[in-house]
Amino acid sequence: MILWIGRMSPLGKQDMVEQELCCSSTGQGLLALHAHYLSLSPLELKVESHGFNSSILYMGLYTLALGEAFFRANLPPFGADQFDDNDILSSRNKSSYFNWLSFICTGGSIIGLIFIVWIENNRSWVEGFVVSANLMVLGILVLISGFKFYRNQIPSGSPLTRIMQVFVAAFRKRDLPLPQIGELHQGNSNEEMVGEELEHTMDFRFLDKAAISYGITSSKWSLCTVTQVEEAKIVLRMLPIFISTVFAYTPMHLLATFGLLQANTMRTTRLGTFTISPVSLIAIPYALQMVFIVVYDRLFVRLTKRITGYQTGITQLQRVGVGLMLLPLTMCIAAIIERERKRIAEEYDLIDSINTHLPMSITWLGPQYFGMVVIGVFTYIGLLEFFNSETSRGMKSMGSAMFSCVIGLSSLLSSVVVNVVKNASRDEDGGRNGWMEGNNLNKSYLDRFYWLVSVFSLVGSLSYLFWAHKYVYKRSRLTIFQNS
């Protein structure tokens, strides 16, 4: 859905962001209506929903999903459109924008985990959804108040359609010899999406045939411009990065999921008058990530810029690579912590216990969550900036959609990995459970699973480094990677 949203709309990104807020607020309102009909309280979480109530529930969930798709595909490029790539300072600020966008989104997640969750647990689900819907409405009003200040670049047509036209036209003229550079159809700059004309490159020459003026036909499915061809080449160049990051980022989802399960078996810790519960534990890495984003943007970039000469300190792919290479190490740390957790469970004869907390502080998980924070600052934001910066102006939403697809597909792949390991480690005769069997984490072999995933992570990270080393940026990037 996210990829479809990123390429289908003829509206500007400003309008799409507004639609996202409208869909999200409507979805929250429908969920509040559903909770009201069921009279859900914090203690009534297993009430069944049928008929009309069930319809309201699914309408609310699907509307929220639609709003999330609008948000992920259009908000990052909409903000990036406010900067001028031809200005050195503006380009540097554009790179900083992705850091601060992640900072704000992380802050919103913390508010939801603490404030909204508190309302739902201590008041009612209806009030929690109503507050969320009202916050969405407030976001719409804030967005509308700035309409006259925005640079809203309205595309004409689908970037995915233009890319398909290139492949179809190149296939139709596959028997023609490769053309000279001057023979390619340049097109009219006024016909380009938002005025950006891409220069011809020498890789993927077979696609150049799509720009050969052959015969008298002027169909867009038979004759494409050089800019169209270069847009298709950009997607092909990014494809190995896209695939390799899907595999390399998969362990991140596993670490987040099973880390929460580990926290549920541990003793909660008090900080003054506050109790750190497993749910609250998620907010702590988010808060720490906000601090690290500021440190990265204000300190790390300035220090590395003196060494590399790049305005952004390091390139986008280098930034992603740093985080991915830390992921196998973080998985190893998690395996060691899990081995210690199981040792304590065995020592206190709590292997068969499900609801009893181990005499082990939840702060033991600090090192692996710290690693996740650093990985998020480098890899997550680096990928977001990479896919938005490398696509042309008419494909920015598609670039954001590709980034969201990396996160979504890696999450889906993590479920596949769990199922494969569960089935592969299970005794065929049923005499021995698999590593991930049952709902008792003390009887599972999560430490072995972590060690296995660390190897998977290392292979995925090395694969990414291979393709990142071969990657050629869209252009010389002088506006971004120029010596200070």
Side-chain angles (χ1 to χ4, degrees):
M1 177 185 289
I2 293 176
L3 186 59
W4 176 73
I5 290 293
R7 59 92 177 169
M8 53 74 66
S9 176
L11 301 177
K13 304 181 189 70
Q14 169 182 302
D15 305 299
M16 299 288 280
V17 173
E18 182 181 358
Q19 289 182 16
E20 176 273 325
L21 293 172
C22 292
C23 288
S24 297
S25 59
T26 302
Q28 294 286 357
L30 289 173
L31 292 179
L33 183 62
H34 173 261
H36 173 72
Y37 275 121
L38 294 182
S39 300
L40 284 181
S41 68
L43 299 179
E44 298 172 326
L45 303 180
K46 296 183 179 181
V47 180
E48 295 185 0
S49 177
H50 302 284
F52 178 69
N53 289 340
S54 180
S55 300
I56 295 178
L57 172 63
Y58 287 112
M59 286 176 58
L61 293 175
Y62 289 138
T63 305
L64 276 176
L66 181 62
E68 183 72 7
F70 280 122
F71 176 84
R72 290 182 179 272
N74 293 281
L75 181 60
F78 171 64
D81 283 345
Q82 312 308 310
F83 302 90
D84 185 5
D85 286 337
N86 297 320
D87 180 74
I88 297 177
L89 180 59
S90 181
S91 295
R92 167 66 187 94
N93 291 334
K94 177 181 176 180
S95 178
S96 183
Y97 155 76
F98 290 103
N99 293 327
W100 291 108
L101 173 64
S102 180
F103 179 90
I104 295 299
C105 292
T106 303
S109 299
I110 293 176
I111 294 175
L113 286 170
I114 297 177
F115 180 60
I116 302 299
V117 170
W118 181 89
I119 293 177
E120 293 175 345
N121 289 337
N122 295 276
R123 303 289 297 180
S124 70
W125 286 78
V126 176
E127 293 183 26
F129 289 131
V130 169
V131 170
S132 299
N134 288 333
L135 289 176
M136 291 292 182
V137 173
L138 178 61
I140 295 175
L141 296 177
V142 173
L143 178 68
I144 293 176
S145 66
F147 271 1
K148 63 180 180 180
F149 303 108
Y150 299 144
R151 297 173 57 189
N152 190 28
Q153 300 177 354
I154 302 178
S156 56
S158 164
L160 191 59
T161 300
R162 296 200 310 276
I163 293 173
M164 292 302 299
Q165 289 171 348
V166 172
F167 284 100
V168 171
F171 178 78
R172 287 180 173 179
K173 291 177 278 190
R174 61 189 180 277
D175 295 329
L176 297 180
L178 288 175
Q180 299 295 324
I181 304 302
E183 300 175 354
L184 298 177
H185 177 58
Q186 299 294 332
N188 189 340
S189 59
N190 294 328
E191 297 175 354
E192 299 301 339
M193 297 287 292
V194 288
E196 182 180 17
E197 292 186 76
L198 302 178
E199 297 180 358
H200 178 265
T201 57
M202 298 303 294
D203 54 348
F204 303 112
R205 287 297 310 278
F206 65 93
L207 292 179
D208 290 343
K209 295 182 179 181
I212 299 178
S213 299
Y214 180 75
I216 59 176
T217 179
S218 60
S219 170
K220 294 182 178 180
W221 295 92
S222 300
L223 180 62
C224 303
T225 65
V226 172
T227 295
Q228 276 185 269
V229 173
E230 292 304 315
E231 287 178 340
K233 290 181 179 181
I234 288 173
V235 174
L236 288 182
R237 290 192 202 102
M238 293 194 302
L239 193 58
I241 301 295
F242 176 88
I243 296 175
S244 60
T245 49
V246 167
F247 285 93
Y249 200 76
T250 297
M252 189 69 169
H253 299 284
L254 296 170
L255 197 59
T257 301
F258 289 106
L260 186 58
L261 295 179
Q262 289 174 285
N264 283 325
T265 67
M266 296 181 176
R267 185 183 69 246
T268 57
T269 301
R270 296 184 66 87
L271 291 178
T273 58
F274 296 96
T275 300
I276 302 178
S277 64
V279 176
S280 301
L281 182 67
I282 303 177
I284 295 178
Y286 281 158
L288 189 60
Q289 181 169 318
M290 294 178 68
V291 175
F292 266 78
I293 290 174
V294 177
V295 172
Y296 180 92
D297 190 78
R298 295 304 176 187
L299 182 61
F300 180 83
V301 172
R302 294 183 180 182
L303 292 177
T304 53
K305 182 172 65 174
R306 297 177 181 178
I307 301 174
T308 64
Y310 296 157
Q311 285 291 331
T312 53
I314 55 178
T315 65
Q316 299 145 4
L317 293 180
Q318 287 173 344
R319 179 176 184 175
V320 174
V322 170
L324 291 182
M325 291 308 298
L326 289 175
L327 189 49
L329 177 61
T330 304
M331 295 301 304
C332 293
I333 294 175
I336 295 173
I337 295 174
E338 172 59 16
R339 179 62 261 178
E340 177 64 16
R341 193 196 65 81
K342 285 203 65 176
R343 186 195 66 78
I344 293 177
E346 294 170 354
E347 179 181 347
Y348 287 86
D349 196 22
L350 295 174
I351 291 295
D352 295 325
S353 176
I354 298 178
N355 298 322
T356 303
H357 288 166
L358 301 179
M360 182 180 185
S361 174
I362 202 173
T363 55
W364 272 81
L365 298 177
Q368 69 186 60
Y369 274 96
F370 178 81
M372 293 171 60
V373 167
V374 178
I375 294 168
V377 171
F378 279 90
T379 298
Y380 185 89
I381 304 177
L383 283 173
L384 176 62
E385 182 181 358
F386 169 75
F387 283 111
N388 276 276
S389 300
E390 280 302 291
T391 49
S392 64
R393 293 179 185 173
M395 300 170 59
K396 295 299 183 183
S397 295
M398 185 175 178
S400 295
M402 292 180 67
F403 162 75
S404 297
C405 286
V406 168
I407 306 302
L409 289 176
S410 59
S411 178
L412 179 63
L413 184 59
S414 67
S415 300
V416 175
V417 170
V418 171
N419 290 328
V420 170
V421 172
K422 181 189 297 184
N423 294 329
S425 59
R426 181 186 298 147
D427 192 343
E428 294 182 359
D429 297 330
R432 176 173 57 86
N433 290 334
W435 290 359
M436 317 301 296
E437 291 288 349
N439 59 351
N440 188 349
L441 196 63
N442 297 331
K443 287 187 175 182
S444 300
Y445 296 91
L446 185 58
D447 53 334
R448 299 180 185 179
F449 179 73
Y450 277 158
W451 286 117
L452 178 64
V453 173
S454 67
V455 176
F456 179 90
S457 176
L458 180 61
V459 173
S461 299
L462 292 177
S463 172
Y464 165 81
L465 292 180
F466 173 81
W467 292 111
H469 179 71
K470 288 181 171 295
Y471 185 81
V472 178
Y473 283 95
K474 181 177 66 175
R475 49 192 175 188
S476 61
R477 319 284 298 174
L478 291 178
T479 58
I480 297 180
F481 304 131
Q482 180 169 336
N483 292 337
S484 58

